[in-house]
Amino acid sequence: MDYFDPNLADSLSLRRVGIPRYVVSNILKYRKAGGKFRDVSSFSKIYGLTLALFEKLKPYITISSEFLAKRDTFKHKGIDSIKIYKFQEVTQVDLNSADTTILKKIPGIGSGLAKMIIAYRTRLGGYYSVEQLDEIGYIDNKLHEWFVVKNPIEEKDKIKVNSFSLDRLRNHPYMNFYKAKVIIEYRRKRGKIKNLSQLSFFEEFTEKDLNRLVYYLSFD
């Protein structure tokens, strides 16, 4: 699923992420009347949007900085405000362990982008390469120098080829309905899939697919 900003996305983009046509109409009417979504939770209040759909969309919603709700500054015991202090020089940050606080210290990364990096990490099960950031969009490749990938992808976060349901298989960014379906059909007719080479016989899996999925598949 693609990331989207409900303040900026056009009707086609909103429909593409699974929002019903009549809800899209309500969103556009709300924006035309001057309404703005100041945070992710405010989007849940749009008329016709079910809680179940909102929860599904929530990890992919981004709010551009120009629309973010303004927050009161704190004046307490000499503290005028809470600030995020940026790194002054290039600092290697591990993509698989950094939280939003660390990510926001990197020049050029704010709250929205930090959340997108972590949301995509969750969907993947972990990063194996810094270049995977390019798959998110909105990220200048000049930021690559700030990152390294230290921690390996854990077994518990991998795709269980022989036990996951169709929905769980297709949910991974490097899978889709057709790839998931051919795996389910093979399991139903012939039993377990033993290794990556078996998937190479299916036309649904390209060489590029297999080169990326090798880090995420578990055949146990």
Side-chain angles (χ1 to χ4, degrees), residues 74-81:
F74 291 88
K75 295 185 178 180
H76 179 64
K77 295 184 178 179
I79 301 177
D80 293 326
S81 63

Side-chain angles (χ1 to χ4, degrees), residues 38-39 61 86 123 139 149 168 176 191 202 205 216:
R38 298 295 187 181
D39 51 41
I61 299 172
K86 299 289 187 178
R123 290 187 65 209
I139 295 181
V149 176
R168 291 192 71 185
N176 58 31
F202 303 135
F205 290 89
Y216 297 104

Side-chain angles (χ1 to χ4, degrees), residues 19 29 42 104 108 196:
I19 300 175
K29 288 178 182 177
S42 66
K104 287 188 292 184
L196 191 71

